[in-house]
Amino acid sequence: MSKKGIFGGTFDPIHNGHLHVAYESLYKLHLDKVIFMPSGNPPHKTNKKLTDSCIRYNFIKKIIQNEEKFDISDYEINKKGLSYTYETLEFFNKMEPKTKWYFITGADCLMDICLWKNANKILELCEFVVFNRPGYSKEEIIMHKNKVEEKYNKKITFLDIPILEISSTNIRKKVKKGENISYLVPEKLEDLLTKMNLYKL
Ligand code: ATP
Ligand code: MG
């Protein structure tokens, strides 16, 4: 049975924290592929100005192009209206019913999964995998994971790996201030941001 992970996010822009998490899931969970899924119009970020989805998508595509086991899907960016995770998982399960699907997220997402539409279905349609993120202690995550597992009677996998203190918010702020972002993002992305003069305003 093939095992694939879906790694969703706004990726505004993709950074080394994302790539690190994608690699770790690939090897620790023995996945055949990790599919990056940039969101089009995420329900929880409706009041935030997002960079155009095609730009976010193309950045990821260029960054992962030489990684055989990384893939990208345009399913959510092409979807009309809001993109809900349970619908994405339904779609992928229907498309490849023999594949075991994993959904990869940072601890921040675990904290509010109860607010996601049809959380119960989400946990049914995939193995939900959580990574640590700056701002959350391991104990806090495990406690919350236990609560969610109990509430929905479903198992959640916690991958305890070293975390990189990087966020897209921080990258955007740094670019705006004219600060250096080397080693926080792939060199290729740094060049693309400069070329397109993104996040300067
Ligand atoms: P923003 O600051 O704009 O929210 P972000 O860095 O949190 O950006 P997202 O696109 O929101 O990136 O996140 C996509 C997924 O990647 C989420 O599951 C998030 O928890 C996870 N993630 C982002 N950065 C890291 C990191 N440094 N370490 C582990 N997981 C991360
Ligand atoms: Mg985020």
Side-chain angles (χ1 to χ4, degrees):
M1 185 200 264
S2 148
K3 292 162 64 165
K4 294 184 184 175
I6 295 176
F7 187 26
T10 43
F11 301 107
D12 191 13
I14 183 166
H15 55 65
N16 288 347
H18 296 134
L19 292 162
H20 171 62
V21 156
Y23 257 119
E24 287 291 327
S25 352
L26 199 57
Y27 292 106
K28 294 243 156 71
L29 302 166
H30 310 286
L31 303 180
D32 297 292
K33 277 220 185 301
V34 169
I35 303 169
F36 288 76
M37 174 77 58
S39 46
N41 196 6
H44 64 291
K45 286 189 180 173
T46 41
N47 50 6
K48 243 181 77 177
K49 207 172 152 270
L50 268 183
T51 304
D52 183 79
S53 54
C54 289
I55 295 179
R56 291 182 285 117
Y57 176 90
N58 282 322
F59 281 174
I60 302 172
K61 202 170 165 101
K62 287 200 172 105
I63 296 302
I64 64 164
Q65 66 186 1
N66 295 325
E67 298 294 346
E68 204 195 317
K69 293 192 169 185
F70 284 174
D71 219 332
I72 184 167
S73 166
D74 58 6
Y75 170 76
E76 286 194 0
I77 68 166
N78 285 338
K79 197 162 180 280
K80 296 244 166 10
L82 301 174
S83 32
Y84 289 106
T85 299
Y86 85 91
E87 285 177 340
T88 302
L89 287 167
E90 270 179 350
F91 174 82
F92 280 88
N93 270 283
K94 214 174 254 171
M95 225 180 41
E96 287 182 35
K98 292 213 169 99
T99 296
K100 177 168 164 63
W101 290 99
Y102 292 73
F103 192 76
I104 303 159
T105 55
D108 48 328
C109 301
L110 172 70
M111 295 305 165
D112 57 27
I113 180 150
C114 302
L115 305 174
W116 291 13
K117 192 167 178 189
N118 295 337
N120 187 41
K121 224 177 218 170
I122 294 176
L123 298 174
E124 229 163 66
L125 292 164
C126 69
E127 180 167 330
F128 203 77
V129 181
V130 181
F131 279 92
N132 204 346
R133 265 204 98 169
Y136 301 94
S137 68
K138 195 174 152 182
E139 293 70 34
E140 201 180 343
I141 296 172
I142 291 176
M143 212 172 73
H144 202 77
K145 167 178 128 70
N146 292 342
K147 262 194 213 156
V148 176
E149 285 182 331
E150 206 171 294
K151 177 168 177 186
Y152 296 102
N153 196 23
K154 294 274 157 27
K155 272 220 90 48
I156 289 172
T157 303
F158 173 49
L159 283 188
D160 190 16
I161 55 147
I163 42 168
L164 300 181
E165 290 218 23
I166 309 174
S167 72
S168 303
T169 305
N170 191 244
I171 306 283
R172 294 193 299 271
K173 279 190 189 152
K174 276 182 169 293
V175 173
K176 195 171 169 187
K177 285 197 264 178
E179 289 176 8
N180 198 300
I181 53 164
S182 303
Y183 309 116
L184 300 177
V185 298
E187 207 175 324
K188 213 190 279 174
L189 186 89
E190 220 182 326
D191 295 342
L192 287 167
L193 293 184
T194 312
K195 236 182 249 158
M196 294 183 64
N197 208 23
L198 216 64
Y199 306 128
K200 286 282 185 204
L201 292 176

